């Protein structure tokens, strides 16, 4: 139950929304609300003033502009997952959008909200009553991360499905701010939007909004995303893998591999990328890359499954994706736990 009074502001243009963000840096942008409203109910956000982004003209378009696509932050995941050109050029994004939650949540949830999703933890995403039994963790104002008491920072897990897929597609985000009486934009690579720290995982400055996603079109680029979760629908990923590559004359190139739900940010699997890059495909090279795919990640016990099982599933999903991409060039289907 939401007990406190919430102010909801409804700007009619992007400029007005950004001006409100500049005037009230403590205000939270509200997109589809599928996560934000749950956070409010759980008392994870208090003293809220919300700036409703729904209905801002031009915020929900999918347009091709020369050699890239521009996807508005307000595009609903259902619209994104059904878009024929997105499916043709960016299959990993279609996979990821389709794997989020359930159709009704995808009808409300936006790509901007997915990119900016708050990280999750077994000790955090609970009712206020449940949490009151053990006091505040680092992320809610306490001094200890309950998942890793000696860790020194918050290990909440970034569990959004679309960002790893967008990373392998070489996506950038357009970030806008009200500055000097006008809209000022900066463009950053999506991977650079994140930090592996559950308390400040999103590198946005006060007053900034993600307004669009920019994805280049690369001829012949193959990509896919798969996630491991308990149920086939309405479940956040316990592990997620996205792979993108070119496959020409039996040789793999332009490999990008991103891993989700293993840290407070989506991560590159750099060692596995190096092993595969420029190689002729074989079972041995794939197994070698799989062995190294979680190097540098440090999943902790803050999800509904053990870190070792989640790492194992990353290796399994990765091998299935690459086999499907190079041998079948089919869009794979995500498995569920038995
Ligand atoms: C039962 C359930 C299951 C779910 N399962 C999944 C799942 O499997 N995979 C998954 O990825 N997600 C899942 N979600 C979470 C959520 O539905 C999606 O991530 C959705 O895409 C969030 O988008 P939204 O528009 O609703 O965001 P909101 O809830 O409106 O916002 C989310 C966060 O992003 C911020 N924000 C929103 N837009 C912007 C912007 N343009 N610029 C800056 N900040 C912004 C908000 O302030 C807020 O902090 C689930 C949610 C529920 C309730």
């Amino acid at each position: 139950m939401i007990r406190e009074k919430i102010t909801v502001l409804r700007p009619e243009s992007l400029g007005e929304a950004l001006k409100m963000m500049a005037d009230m840096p403590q205000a939270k942008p509200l997109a589809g609300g599928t996560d934000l409203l749950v956070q409010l109910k759980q008392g994870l956000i208090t003293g809220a003033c919300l700036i409703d982004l729904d209905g801002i003209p031009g915020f929900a378009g999918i347009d091709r502009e020369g050699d890239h696509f521009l996807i508005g932050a307000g595009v609903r995941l259902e619209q994104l997952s059904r878009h024929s050109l997105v499916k043709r050029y960016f299959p990993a994004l279609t996979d990821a959008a389709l794997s989020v939650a359930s159709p009704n949540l995808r009808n409300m949830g936006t790509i901007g909200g997915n990119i900016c999703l708050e990280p999750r933890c077994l000790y955090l995403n609970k009712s206020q009553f449940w949490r009151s039994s053990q006091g505040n963790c680092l992320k809610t104002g306490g001094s200890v991360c309950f998942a890793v008491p000696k860790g020194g920072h918050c290990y909440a897990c970034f569990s959004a499905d679309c960002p790893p897929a967008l990373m392998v597609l070489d996506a950038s985000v357009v970030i806008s701010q009200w500055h000097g009486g006008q809209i000022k934009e900066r463009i950053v690579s999506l991977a650079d939007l994140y930090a592996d720290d559950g308390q400040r995982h999103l590198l946005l400055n006060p007053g900034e909004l993600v307004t669009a996603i920019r994805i280049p079109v690369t001829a012949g680029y193959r990509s896919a995303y798969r996630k491991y979760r308990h149920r086939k629908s309405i479940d956040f990923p316990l592990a997620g893998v996205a792979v993108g590559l070119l496959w020409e004359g039996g040789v793999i190139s332009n490999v990008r591999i991103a891993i989700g739900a293993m840290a407070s940010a989506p991560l590159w699997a750099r060692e596995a990328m190096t092993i595969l890059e420029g190689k002729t495909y074989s079972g041995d090279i794939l197994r070698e890359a799989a062995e190294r795919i979680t190097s540098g990640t440090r999943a902790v016990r803050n999800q509904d499954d053990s870190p070792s099982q989640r790492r194992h599933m990353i290796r399994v999903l990765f091998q299935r994706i690459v086999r499907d991409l190079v041998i079948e060039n089919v869009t794979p289907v995500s498995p569920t736990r038995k």
Side-chain angles (χ1 to χ4, degrees):
M1 188 167 52
I2 303 175
R3 290 200 177 84
E4 62 177 321
K5 192 176 162 206
I6 297 163
T7 307
V8 181
L9 304 173
R10 298 190 195 284
E12 289 178 4
S13 67
L14 180 59
E16 197 184 341
L18 292 171
K19 197 164 179 311
M20 287 174 177
M21 292 282 297
D23 293 343
M24 293 170 284
Q26 80 291 355
K28 294 283 285 178
L30 170 70
T34 59
D35 192 64
L36 192 62
L37 296 184
V38 179
Q39 298 243 340
L40 277 167
K41 283 185 184 170
Q42 292 178 334
L44 291 167
I45 301 170
T46 51
C49 170
L50 306 181
I51 298 175
D52 187 355
L53 307 179
D54 201 16
I56 291 181
F59 208 53
I62 301 179
D63 300 299
R64 183 164 185 166
E65 295 187 355
D67 61 355
H68 66 270
F69 274 77
L70 206 58
I71 298 175
V75 168
R76 310 270 181 206
L77 295 175
E78 193 63 19
Q79 179 193 352
L80 189 63
S81 67
R82 290 180 186 280
H83 199 282
S84 58
L85 294 180
V86 170
K87 192 170 182 176
R88 183 192 306 171
Y89 294 114
F90 315 123
L93 184 56
T94 303
D95 293 347
L98 256 184
S99 78
V100 172
S102 62
N104 51 350
L105 285 160
R106 292 197 293 274
N107 269 329
M108 285 305 294
T110 63
I111 184 67
N114 197 255
I115 288 172
C116 299
L117 196 68
E118 279 294 320
R120 303 176 62 77
C121 174
L122 276 180
Y123 298 94
L124 178 71
N125 299 95
K126 297 278 199 256
S127 68
Q128 212 156 13
F129 176 69
W130 189 98
R131 293 198 320 272
S132 67
S133 66
Q134 40 188 346
N136 288 326
C137 70
L138 257 185
K139 196 164 166 67
T140 52
S143 56
V144 174
C145 169
F146 294 145
V148 189
K150 291 186 180 160
H153 69 90
C154 167
Y155 283 77
C157 183
F158 185 64
S159 307
D161 283 301
C162 296
L166 287 167
M167 275 167 64
V168 304
L169 295 167
D170 199 20
S172 311
V173 280
V174 180
I175 297 171
S176 305
Q177 190 178 27
W178 191 253
H179 185 80
Q182 56 184 0
I183 298 173
K184 189 179 150 202
E185 285 185 350
R186 65 184 177 106
I187 298 179
V188 301
S189 156
L190 182 79
D192 295 338
L193 184 65
Y194 301 107
D196 189 7
D197 178 347
Q199 274 175 294
R200 189 159 191 260
H201 78 295
L202 215 53
L203 300 178
L204 285 179
N205 297 314
E208 286 187 327
L209 278 179
V210 170
T211 45
I213 300 99
R214 197 176 182 280
I215 317 179
V217 175
T218 307
Y221 204 67
R222 302 175 181 201
S223 67
Y225 172 80
R226 281 188 185 187
K227 72 196 265 191
Y228 167 57
R229 55 184 158 179
H230 285 176
R231 297 174 296 179
K232 206 167 184 178
S233 70
I234 326 187
D235 251 351
F236 285 92
L238 293 164
V241 190
V243 182
L245 51 83
L246 283 173
W247 164 245
E248 285 160 335
V251 175
I252 295 172
S253 64
N254 278 35
V255 187
R256 293 191 204 99
I257 307 165
I259 294 176
M262 296 293 277
S264 300
L267 303 173
W268 290 117
R270 293 197 188 278
E271 287 195 30
M273 282 160 62
T274 306
I275 291 169
L276 282 188
E277 185 63 40
K279 303 283 171 31
T280 303
Y281 172 80
S282 73
D284 284 346
I285 202 80
L286 183 57
R287 274 188 295 279
E288 192 187 333
E291 282 308 310
R292 309 301 302 162
I293 191 166
T294 55
S295 299
T297 61
R298 52 201 163 112
V300 300
R301 202 171 282 276
N302 62 355
Q303 300 297 304
D304 256 344
D305 223 332
S306 69
S308 60
Q309 168 69 2
R310 287 157 60 209
R311 277 196 296 271
H312 170 71
M313 287 310 294
I314 292 272
R315 291 193 285 272
V316 170
L317 296 176
F318 164 69
Q319 292 183 73
R320 287 186 193 165
I321 294 178
V322 176
R323 262 187 232 119
D324 287 346
L325 286 179
V326 301
I327 299 172
E328 310 282 351
N329 196 19
V330 293
T331 301
V333 178
S334 291
T336 53
R337 195 171 73 162
K338 284 190 210 101

